Amino acid sequence: PVTLAGTRGVHPDAVCTLEDGRTPLCTVLARTAVRRFVGQRRVDCLLTVRDDSSLDHDAPCSVGETDLATWIVSQGWAYAREDAGADLLDGQADAQRNNLGLWGLVEAPQ
């Protein structure tokens, strides 16, 4: 598995509450948003060769010229880790301020 560098997703079992009362898994909402963004375009990830292949890869990925981690955090569908760069932290602050993605739901887990 590949984790976008500098990001943290919501727990796989986390439930989000929508305005109409529906309660889908937050990961389903995030995955749908990413699929719409990516479409048929190629996702490129820079993976390093490692001996511990059983662990997740923390890698930068892009779609064309767009950094996927920056996009997903700035759209509110993942969280920036505390040790993330300024671009991710600023993107998360903008998403939160503008109620995008998880931040725009009636109830979303941290």
Side-chain angles (χ1 to χ4, degrees):
V2 175
T3 300
L4 294 173
T7 67
R8 177 182 59 82
V10 295
H11 188 276
D13 297 329
V15 173
C16 287
T17 303
L18 305 178
E19 287 184 11
D20 63 7
R22 290 181 294 145
T23 54
L25 291 174
C26 298
T27 54
V28 170
L29 297 175
R31 185 172 48 241
T32 299
V34 171
R35 283 182 177 161
R36 284 186 181 142
F37 172 71
V38 171
Q40 298 297 315
R41 297 181 290 170
R42 187 176 79 197
V43 175
D44 294 309
C45 297
L46 181 60
L47 301 175
T48 57
V49 176
R50 302 183 327 200
D51 292 332
D52 57 348
S53 62
S54 64
L55 300 175
D56 286 359
H57 283 273
D58 192 40
C61 297
S62 62
V63 176
E65 297 294 319
T66 303
D67 178 78
L68 195 51
T70 301
W71 182 87
I72 197 170
V73 169
S74 68
Q75 295 300 305
W77 294 116
Y79 302 109
R81 291 195 321 239
E82 291 179 9
D83 62 347
D87 55 338
L88 289 178
L89 295 171
D90 291 345
Q92 178 172 296
D94 288 343
Q96 188 173 14
R97 188 173 31 258
N98 293 307
N99 295 318
L100 297 177
L102 297 167
W103 303 108
L105 301 172
V106 172
E107 185 177 335
Q110 293 287 318

